[in-house]
């Protein structure tokens, strides 16, 4: 009589899954499967085996986009700004250094206790002598990273990785009005690619650099040029690691990005910073009006800002000058005009550091 009665819910009610839980379980399981597939591809590539391209279907892309990556990225950004107790800084940063192979000997401040939060640690500056800027070549790497692809732009398409392309116009957006640029453009009747080429005999070139989480997170000016215009595309924040870039066609056109366009001594020049998961924050040092990873946006929308109307000469940038930063790793895409004898000094898949040569005439 003294025993307490145990009230139990029906078995069906205990195991009832709510839609959100089901979504998390499905996406998490599928994400794990994709990671395993990426690992297998990496092992085959290391053995020199040619890996066939297998693109994601529309439903797979839709499933991936259903993950609230923008919300997660904002939450990650808030977490990064939380000040850590002094005693906890070294263990957390040491784990990150070990996981991603960070070389702290290059950091301007090597003492881990100096960085109050993860955000400061991610955006750490380097010693001045750690990245000497190559003077002999006209275009240098704007950041540390891995070369995913490079070469001439053909048929208005750019390769994000070997065999997987995206539309040049979708990536850069509609042609900028002639009045907003400080250089002439081809007649409107030509293809989008031809409209970007301003000098007869020139070609359009591209280079894609992937920044891993352990890389130096700032990016710099790749050459002497003048920034005339900024175009910001709000969008998804899907991962941009090489495995996903090989899987999702036009990945860079789906993701949030900031396109800087202008001119250098050979004509058109552009640098695009592409956002990714946990990289909702893209900062351009001279552009205080830029705000990325907003809570809401209209699909396919973009906003323009002209540096010509506010500064008649645009924003002059010197080769190697600080240009901006990511909150974590991401991708830089260069698209520029140059004479036909321009040569890249690169190999696909190679590691590169800021200041090293990309190519020259």
């Amino acid at each position: 009589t003294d025993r307490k009665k145990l009230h139990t819910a029906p078995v069906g009610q205990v195991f009832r899954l709510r839609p959100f839980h089901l979504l998390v379980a499905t996406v998490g399981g599928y994400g794990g499967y994709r990671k395993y597939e990426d690992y297998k591809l990496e092992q085959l590539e290391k053995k020199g085996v040619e890996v066939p391209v297998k693109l994601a279907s529309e439903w797979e892309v839709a499933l991936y986009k259903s993950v609230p990556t923008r919300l997660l990225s904002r939450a990650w950004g808030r977490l990064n700004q939380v000040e850590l107790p002094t005693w906890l800084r070294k263990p957390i940063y040491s784990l990150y250094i070990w996981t991603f192979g960070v070389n702290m000997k290059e950091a301007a401040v090597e003492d881990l206790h100096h960085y109050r939060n993860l955000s400061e640690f991610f955006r750490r500056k380097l010693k001045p002598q750690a990245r000497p800027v190559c003077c002999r070549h006209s275009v240098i790497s704007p950041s540390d990273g891995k070369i995913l692809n490079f070469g001439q732009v053909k048929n208005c398409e750019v390769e994000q990785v070997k065999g997987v392309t995206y539309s040049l116009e979708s990536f850069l957006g509609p042609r900028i009005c002639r009045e907003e640029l400080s250089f002439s453009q081809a007649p409107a009747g030509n293809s989008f690619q031809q409209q970007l080429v301003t000098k007869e005999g020139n070609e359009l070139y591209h280079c894609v650099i992937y920044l891993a989480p352990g890389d130096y997170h700032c990016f710099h000016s790749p050459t002497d040029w003048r920034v005339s215009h900024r175009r910001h595309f709000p969008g998804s924040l899907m991962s941009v690691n090489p495995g996903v870039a090989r899987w999702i066609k036009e990945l860079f056109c789906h993701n949030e990005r900031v396109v800087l366009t202008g001119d250098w001594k050979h004509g058109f020049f552009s640098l695009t910073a592409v956002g990714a998961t946990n990289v909702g924050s893209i900062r351009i040092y001279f552009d205080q009006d830029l705000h990325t990873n907003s809570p809401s946006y209209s699909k396919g929308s973009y906003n323009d800002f002209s540096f010509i109307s506010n500064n008649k000469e645009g924003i002059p940038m010197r080769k190697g000058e600080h240009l901006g930063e990511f909150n974590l790793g991401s991708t830089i895409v260069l698209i520029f005009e140059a004479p036909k004898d321009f040569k890249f000094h690169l190999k696909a898949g190679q590691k590169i550091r800021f200041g090293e040569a990309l190519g020259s005439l």
Side-chain angles (χ1 to χ4, degrees):
T1 57
D2 293 333
R3 289 180 179 177
K4 295 181 179 179
K5 292 183 180 181
L6 180 64
H7 295 277
T8 59
V11 175
Q13 191 174 0
V14 172
F15 292 99
R16 186 180 300 165
L17 289 174
R18 295 182 178 179
F20 177 75
H21 299 154
L22 182 61
L23 175 64
V24 171
T26 302
V27 172
Y30 190 75
Y33 166 75
R34 288 304 315 171
K35 286 288 186 183
Y36 175 66
E37 289 293 310
D38 292 343
Y39 172 77
K40 290 198 300 183
L41 289 176
E42 288 178 5
Q43 297 305 308
L44 289 174
E45 287 181 343
K46 287 180 180 179
K47 295 178 181 178
V49 178
E50 187 72 21
V51 180
V53 175
K54 185 180 179 182
L55 295 176
S57 63
E58 290 185 9
W59 73 265
E60 287 176 312
V61 176
L63 179 62
Y64 193 175
K65 282 188 169 184
S66 68
V67 180
T69 52
R70 294 179 65 85
L71 177 62
L72 293 173
S73 297
R74 285 195 297 275
W76 177 252
R78 296 281 181 87
L79 179 64
N80 286 348
Q81 295 172 6
V82 174
E83 185 168 343
L84 297 174
T86 305
W87 62 269
L88 192 58
R89 294 174 188 176
K90 189 171 182 177
I92 289 181
Y93 299 148
S94 296
L95 177 62
Y96 185 90
I97 291 168
W98 177 79
T99 302
F100 296 108
V102 178
N103 184 3
M104 283 302 294
K105 291 183 179 179
E106 299 177 331
V109 180
E110 297 184 37
D111 182 12
L112 298 181
H113 296 100
H114 169 79
Y115 302 101
R116 294 174 298 176
N117 51 47
L118 286 166
S119 181
E120 287 188 2
F121 178 71
F122 292 146
R123 296 181 289 106
R124 64 193 176 278
K125 305 301 180 185
L126 299 182
K127 295 173 181 175
Q129 66 273 20
R131 296 290 187 275
V133 175
C134 179
C135 300
R136 295 184 296 108
H137 298 276
S138 53
V139 183
I140 62 169
S141 176
S143 66
D144 289 6
K146 178 181 180 181
I147 301 296
L148 294 189
N149 216 297
F150 63 93
Q152 283 190 21
V153 177
K154 297 180 180 179
N155 302 320
C156 295
E157 288 194 329
V158 185
E159 281 194 318
Q160 58 190 30
V161 293
K162 186 177 180 181
V164 182
T165 62
Y166 55 93
S167 164
L168 181 64
E169 186 170 5
S170 297
F171 181 68
L172 296 178
R175 189 174 69 128
I176 300 167
C177 296
R178 185 188 303 270
E179 292 76 14
E180 295 185 16
L181 292 178
S182 56
F183 56 92
S184 61
Q185 291 180 302
N190 294 338
S191 69
F192 185 80
Q193 179 178 336
Q194 292 171 328
Q195 291 173 24
L196 298 180
V197 177
T198 64
K199 299 179 180 179
E200 187 176 354
N202 281 2
E203 298 287 348
L204 209 59
Y205 297 87
H206 74 96
C207 183
V208 182
I209 305 170
Y210 166 69
L211 289 74
D215 288 326
Y216 170 54
H217 289 60
C218 297
F219 51 93
H220 301 245
S221 176
T223 192
D224 296 333
W225 65 306
R226 178 171 48 183
V227 183
S228 304
H229 187 271
R230 180 257 291 162
R231 176 169 284 164
H232 172 218
F233 292 85
S236 302
L237 288 174
M238 295 184 282
S239 171
V240 293
N241 74 58
V244 177
R246 187 186 295 109
W247 181 53
I248 297 181
K249 184 177 175 62
E250 298 201 332
L251 171 64
F252 299 154
C253 298
H254 291 292
N255 273 16
E256 182 164 18
R257 59 198 182 279
V258 177
V259 182
L260 300 178
T261 55
D263 64 294
W264 70 319
K265 60 183 178 181
H266 299 297
F268 175 81
F269 199 97
S270 73
L271 180 148
T272 301
V274 183
T277 308
N278 294 335
V279 197
S281 174
I282 302 172
R283 183 182 173 194
I284 304 298
Y285 294 139
F286 59 74
D287 190 354
Q288 302 301 317
D289 295 324
L290 175 65
H291 300 286
T292 57
N293 197 11
S294 300
S296 61
Y297 69 96
S298 300
K299 184 178 179 180
S301 65
Y302 61 87
N303 58 76
D304 289 338
F305 186 86
S306 173
F307 298 108
I308 295 296
S309 59
N310 293 276
N311 183 338
K312 292 183 179 180
E313 297 182 355
I315 307 294
M317 297 297 302
R318 303 295 296 175
K319 184 167 65 174
E321 186 178 350
H322 278 85
L323 182 54
E325 63 187 36
F326 291 112
N327 194 39
L328 203 55
S330 195
T331 299
I332 295 286
V333 179
L334 301 179
I335 298 175
F336 58 93
E337 173 186 359
K340 291 182 178 180
D341 57 350
F342 181 87
K343 300 294 182 184
F344 284 102
H345 305 288
L346 303 171
K347 292 181 180 178
Q350 78 170 70
K351 291 287 291 182
I352 197 166
R353 304 202 305 177
F354 154 62
E356 294 179 345
L358 283 186
S360 62
L361 297 168

